[in-house]
Amino acid sequence: MSPGPAKSITLRTAPAGSDARRSGTPTATTSPSSSEQDAYTLVFKDKPFTLRAPAFNSGTHVDLDAPKLFPDGEIGQDDGMELTYQDWGDSDLRFLTLMGRSTGTTSEVCRTGVDTDALPAAIPGDDLDAGKTLTKGMVLCTVTSDDNLAMLRITDVLPDTKQGRSSDMPDYVTTLTFWKSNE
């Protein structure tokens, strides 16, 4: 793991007449480095984004860079996508890019969540049915397939809205915040 971004130190001369000025000792202040400030630019914040449970024998591909849902995505047609919510042979939610839990909603904290609290690549339908893994209030972050940063904040977990299905996977009501990479 690489060390965190460096902090730059600015030396300032103390005002005339102060003890520091008389002693010739400069005062130091810290400010974020330009790489920390400029890593991502906010594009939009808290855009409503609902991930509905897939119909039997289908899947929904999700492109967070667009952002766009593809509710009738085909098996294997997931290039450039960040996740697939599927009810094919195995019912699960698959993360196609590393997805982590975040403890906050800034780009820096979101990016840290990706690096330090990653979820498994797939969450089985049974765990989703029982609400064991993804819960209301959880904040999920990923570096997208286009190297941008996306944050999904789960605002509600609703029972499946379809009838007569083999699975009871829930709908996830979320808000999406998106930062474009400056690199």
Side-chain angles (χ1 to χ4, degrees):
M1 181 162 31
S2 63
K7 301 279 184 192
S8 62
I9 296 178
T10 305
L11 296 178
R12 295 190 182 141
T13 306
S18 75
D19 290 337
R21 177 74 173 188
R22 282 191 292 263
S23 70
T25 307
T27 59
T29 61
T30 60
S31 61
S33 69
S34 61
S35 64
E36 183 177 330
Q37 291 175 344
D38 300 332
Y40 297 99
T41 300
L42 181 66
V43 176
F44 56 82
K45 181 177 178 160
D46 295 333
K47 180 177 186 165
F49 198 79
T50 300
L51 183 58
R52 304 218 185 274
F56 176 71
N57 207 24
S58 73
T60 298
H61 300 314
V62 179
D63 181 355
L64 296 175
D65 285 301
K68 189 170 180 179
L69 299 166
F70 298 90
D72 293 316
E74 296 182 25
I75 295 174
Q77 300 298 314
D78 55 14
D79 286 344
M81 304 294 160
E82 282 68 50
L83 58 99
T84 295
Y85 196 17
Q86 63 185 27
D87 191 13
W88 288 307
D90 294 327
S91 298
D92 61 16
L93 178 61
R94 291 188 184 184
F95 299 118
L96 306 174
T97 56
L98 187 63
M99 185 72 70
R101 286 181 280 224
S102 179
T103 59
T105 57
T106 66
S107 61
E108 293 84 8
V109 175
C110 187
R111 180 67 176 113
T112 298
V114 175
D115 293 336
T116 63
D117 195 2
L119 293 168
I123 301 173
D126 289 342
D127 286 349
L128 297 171
D129 295 349
K132 293 177 183 176
T133 308
L134 302 178
T135 59
K136 182 177 178 178
M138 184 176 276
V139 178
L140 304 173
C141 295
T142 190
V143 174
T144 69
S145 57
D146 290 341
D147 292 324
N148 298 309
L149 185 63
M151 177 179 70
L152 289 170
R153 188 172 47 87
I154 301 173
T155 59
D156 211 351
V157 180
L158 303 173
D160 179 21
T161 56
K162 295 170 203 58
Q163 300 295 317
R165 295 199 39 242
S166 63
S167 174
D168 296 323
M169 294 188 296
D171 293 346
Y172 292 97
V173 180
T174 74
T175 60
L176 175 62
T177 298
F178 184 81
W179 293 273
K180 183 108 177 127
S181 173
N182 291 333
E183 295 178 9

